[in-house]
Amino acid sequence: MRSEEHVGWERDFPVRYLLVREDIGGEEEGVLWGRCAEVEGLFMDAPPLPREVLTLRGCPRESLLVQAMAASAEPVRLLGDGMLSIVPVDPSNDGPSRFWDLEDTAVLAQWPTPGDPGRVDIVVGTGVREDDFWGGKRLPSSPRFDLWFPSIRGDSPSGGCRSIDGLLTPRPQRPTQPVHLIGCEPAAPLLALLCRPLPQEGDPITLWRLDRHGRTMTGYHLDLDTVEARPSVLGGALIDVTVTDPGDDRPTLAARAVWEIWSDGVPTRPNQWAQFDAEGRSEWLDLTRVGPYGLQGLSGGTYHLDGQHVTDRTGLLLALGEAVLGPGAHYGRDLDSVQDYLCSGPSVVPPFTLVWHHAAIARHALAGDVLAHRSGLSYFEETVNLLREYGVTVVLQ
């Protein structure tokens, strides 16, 4: 379904959002559920998870997790955000897997596992959130506990353990914040949902955000389990719809200002992203996926990277995309995808020359951002090496 086909209506204000039931089975292009003039309450910074204490029993000493802690001179090792899974040893007949997100994890203590000198017990402080979408509630009879921490290594488990004390306990639900769809023109599927008694148990819907040209900028999922409708404050035959429990997939408060810039269309001036903090830059990078891709396999020439604002990973990727493809363009969300763009796709491919102006800013800002799972080099050094490895002549100025 093309969003441009649904933006025209005879009113004094534009359509800024579409409600779309996206195809899951691959047989349809998407079904329109409604058009909206505006949405209130969409942007929200999720409150931090309550802090909990978990004890990881029997972690192998040879695991990356234990080795990383042993290599640190600090008594507390900051692991950051990670993921925990409990998977069956025999998935064919031993039940489903279960998954948890671990937020801002820190090691509080560690000691040898009693009776097993080859293993370590680790106590961590963390925020815990179970992913109910993928897992079940029953534990496998023969479980395996795996831990991932991108700060140690992102592409394979950082470690494991035999059991975890404090994990399988009831947790309070965080309060929800409703979302209000303002000036909504419902299509037949939404009208049918509104006629059901509460709770409606509706389908998951994607909220498409449009720019002034009617092109979809981005989309966010809403759970329409409980919705209430009333005549719209904008008048006419429109309605306002309140989604009382829309789910946790919400853009942050930092995204609002970024969306306002992109609502005029793909940006045409360089470095507009530089005014934003890390969250705003990350949102900008997400939106570059709709940017201009008019080049197919073009090579040769000289491109200039403005490094004045490259003070973090995201800034580096944004500056690289602007240098090679222009403002609002996308040249990868991480180094793995940069590598893909260097090989093929809607991009400039080597050989070409990249003149990196003010390179010392990125070299200094990213000096401590070390990629342990690659070569142990900084993000800046690894980026330069990757570009050169694939045939880009990088000139640092």
Side-chain angles (χ1 to χ4, degrees), residues 23 37 67 78 95 151 212 233 240 268 313 362 369 373 393:
D23 177 40
Q67 290 178 5
L78 301 180
S151 61
R212 67 184 181 89
V233 296
D240 293 343
T268 58
R313 291 190 184 190
D369 190 350
H373 69 287
T393 301

Side-chain angles (χ1 to χ4, degrees), residues 14-326:
V15 176
R16 290 194 174 93
Y17 293 87
L18 297 181
L19 286 169
V20 180
R21 172 70 164 127
E22 293 183 334
D23 177 40
I24 297 178
E27 299 178 357
E28 300 178 356
E29 296 182 354
V31 177
L32 180 70
W33 276 48
R35 304 187 287 181
C36 300
E38 195 51 87
V39 174
E40 173 56 32
L42 178 64
F43 302 94
M44 181 185 72
D45 288 337
L49 294 170
R51 301 298 295 176
E52 301 184 37
V53 177
L54 306 180
T55 303
L56 316 179
R57 301 288 187 184
C59 302
R61 287 187 181 273
E62 67 271 14
S63 67
L64 292 171
L65 173 63
V66 175
Q67 290 178 5
M69 292 188 302
S72 174
E74 300 295 329
V76 175
R77 172 74 174 177
L78 301 180
L79 302 175
D81 296 338
M83 189 185 77
L84 161 69
S85 67
I86 300 180
V87 298
V89 175
D90 183 5
S92 63
N93 59 7
D94 200 13
S97 302
R98 294 178 66 175
F99 300 89
W100 288 261
D101 293 323
L102 303 179
E103 183 177 273
D104 192 21
T105 307
V107 176
L108 305 180
Q110 56 179 304
W111 54 79
T113 300
D116 191 343
R119 293 179 178 270
V120 176
D121 291 351
I122 304 171
V123 179
V124 299
T126 187
V128 183
R129 177 178 55 244
E130 185 168 6
D131 188 342
D132 295 325
F133 181 78
W134 295 107
K137 288 300 182 184
R138 180 170 64 87
L139 277 181
S141 59
S142 300
R144 188 184 77 238
F145 295 77
D146 291 331
L147 294 146
W148 282 264
F149 289 102
S151 61
I152 298 176
R153 186 165 186 168
D155 55 355
S156 63
S158 307
C161 57
R162 288 175 170 170
S163 63
I164 301 179
D165 296 349
L167 176 64
L168 302 176
T169 59
R171 294 183 171 85
Q173 297 294 321
R174 289 189 292 188
T176 62
Q177 176 177 309
V179 166
H180 307 284
L181 311 178
I182 307 299
C184 184
E185 181 185 79
L190 181 56
L191 285 173
L193 176 67
L194 293 172
C195 291
R196 301 177 195 170
L198 296 175
Q200 287 95 345
E201 297 183 357
D203 295 322
I205 293 297
T206 303
L207 189 66
W208 289 6
R209 176 64 164 96
L210 312 181
D211 65 17
R212 67 184 181 89
H213 306 293
R215 184 166 63 168
T216 302
M217 292 164 38
T218 186
Y220 281 86
H221 295 290
L222 295 176
D223 295 331
L224 299 187
D225 287 342
T226 304
V227 295
E228 301 172 355
R230 59 197 174 277
S232 177
V233 296
L234 301 184
L238 301 177
I239 61 174
D240 293 343
V241 178
T242 295
V243 184
T244 57
D245 189 4
D248 296 329
D249 186 14
R250 311 278 281 276
T252 65
L253 294 176
R256 189 195 301 270
V258 175
W259 285 25
E260 283 301 309
I261 294 176
W262 279 77
S263 66
D264 285 333
V266 177
T268 58
R269 293 188 291 110
N271 291 330
Q272 286 184 268
W273 53 266
Q275 61 186 294
F276 296 105
D277 61 10
E279 288 187 351
R281 290 183 177 193
S282 179
E283 187 68 30
W284 190 286
L285 185 60
D286 284 343
L287 295 183
T288 60
R289 290 175 296 184
V290 304
Y293 297 110
L295 305 174
Q296 292 286 342
L298 179 67
S299 63
T302 299
Y303 301 86
H304 295 267
L305 189 154
D306 183 355
Q308 295 183 80
H309 309 289
V310 180
T311 55
D312 55 16
R313 291 190 184 190
T314 309
L316 189 158
L317 295 168
L318 290 170
L320 177 61
E322 287 195 346
V324 178
L325 295 172

Side-chain angles (χ1 to χ4, degrees), residues 310 313 316 335 356 358-367 369-371 377-387 394 396:
V310 180
R313 291 190 184 190
L316 189 158
L335 291 187
W356 193 323
H358 308 286
I361 294 176
R363 186 191 297 275
H364 176 74
L366 298 172
D369 190 350
V370 177
L371 296 175
L377 301 175
S378 73
Y379 201 86
F380 169 80
E381 294 170 317
E382 188 61 43
T383 302
V384 173
N385 288 351
L386 176 66
L387 293 169
V394 182
L396 303 177

